[in-house]
Amino acid sequence: MPDPLHTDPLHTDALYDELLDIALEAARRAGALLRDGRPADLGVAATKTSPIDVVTEMDIAAEKLITGFIGERRPDDGFLGEEGASVEGTSGIRWVIDPVDGTVNYLYGLPAWAVSIAAERDGEVVVGVVAAPMRGETYQAVLGRGAFNNGERLRHRPAPPLSEALLGTGFSYLADRRAAQAEVVRTLLPQVRDIRRGGSAAIDLCDVACGRLDAYYERGLNPWDLAAGALIAREAGALTGGRPGRAVGHELTLAASPALFAQLQPILDELGAWHD
């Protein structure tokens, strides 16, 4: 017998509506906790890949809030969270969560941080929400329905000539990888308008979606860094990918308008932006 979850479009629409509503409310609650509950003496609770790759107590509290809220409403779903949430689930839905994307910004009191929540259905991202409380903005997308910021439909910026393109990027917290990334920037910078380093991959991807950046690239992203933002960028009309013929991922993530994507992807590949 066919699976009605996969063959009934009304069921799919209702499911995606439910997932979006849950993601929006979970992101709103976590964003309020992080914005209003940040202690003045916030410190590092743990480190990850290096001594400068940090976790704060608020990262942990926000992930607990998100997984608890979602788990009460959809107890059979799976989870993958940056701060350790890992549940297999049995429903075919998995939530990919970064409770604070831009933790170092958050630690220092800089505003460029976000809550990123994506829902995958059988491995494909179908819902993405990125809440940036210090901007007062919430970005959202559902597969096939477009992308929005505070209810306003998003559209990527038309591709400029490469020499006039404003790029975003990010850097690893591993010293050897940072050195390789610096070499890519050294070569690429004279070819473009400028390069920005914002400190939050989720926000950078949303900035491509809303036209504040012409393109964004980075090596070393994890699923929770990019799942929601990449869907939002695609639903705003941008292309996303890695090396030629490959999807976004840890090796390389690139998001840009189609014409600019076609120019940048081979350049980044040739410069070795995908390896250390």
Side-chain angles (χ1 to χ4, degrees), residues 169-172 177 180-185 187-188 216-221 242-244 249-254 264-276:
T169 193
F171 304 120
S172 170
R177 182 170 294 170
Q181 289 170 325
E183 281 300 303
V184 173
V185 170
T187 306
L188 186 59
Y216 162 75
Y217 77 92
E218 188 167 349
R219 167 162 166 72
L221 296 185
R243 295 190 70 193
H250 190 79
E251 189 177 56
L252 181 66
T253 293
L254 170 63
L264 273 172
Q265 190 181 49
I267 292 172
L268 292 171
D269 195 51
E270 184 178 349
L271 291 177
W274 49 276
H275 67 79
D276 302 338

Side-chain angles (χ1 to χ4, degrees), residues 68-155:
F69 178 83
I70 295 172
E72 288 178 359
R73 286 149 185 81
R74 295 189 55 87
D76 298 325
D77 291 355
F79 289 99
L80 177 66
E82 181 175 19
E83 309 314 334
S86 181
V87 176
E88 192 69 26
T90 58
S91 67
I93 302 298
R94 184 175 75 160
W95 298 87
V96 184
I97 300 161
D98 193 340
V100 187
D101 188 69
T103 295
V104 172
N105 285 347
Y106 184 74
L107 177 66
Y108 276 76
L110 295 169
W113 56 269
V115 180
S116 177
I117 302 175
E120 295 176 339
R121 180 174 180 236
D122 297 331
E124 180 180 26
V125 178
V126 296
V127 168
V129 169
V130 174
M134 306 308 290
R135 287 185 172 190
E137 295 180 334
T138 298
Y139 308 88
Q140 67 186 68
V142 174
L143 183 66
R145 297 191 196 172
F148 299 84
N149 174 21
N150 292 353
E152 181 178 347
R153 183 177 284 273
L154 298 178
R155 188 70 189 170

Side-chain angles (χ1 to χ4, degrees), residues 176-196:
D176 289 347
R177 182 170 294 170
R178 289 164 76 90
Q181 289 170 325
E183 281 300 303
V184 173
V185 170
R186 183 184 65 81
T187 306
L188 186 59
L189 184 58
Q191 303 180 52
V192 299
R193 184 190 296 274
D194 207 348
I195 297 178
R196 299 281 187 265

Side-chain angles (χ1 to χ4, degrees), residues 11 27 36 46 56 61 65 67 74 79 118 128 131 142 152-153 156 158 162 184 187 202 219 232 245-246:
H11 190 127
D36 301 335
T56 74
L65 183 158
T67 56
R74 295 189 55 87
F79 289 99
V142 174
E152 181 178 347
R153 183 177 284 273
H156 69 86
L162 181 63
V184 173
T187 306
R219 167 162 166 72
I232 291 165
R246 301 188 189 181

Side-chain angles (χ1 to χ4, degrees), residues 203-225:
I203 289 179
D204 287 339
L205 286 161
C206 291
D207 279 347
V208 172
C210 65
R212 293 172 180 157
L213 290 172
D214 292 305
Y216 162 75
Y217 77 92
E218 188 167 349
R219 167 162 166 72
L221 296 185
N222 294 297
W224 48 80
D225 298 312

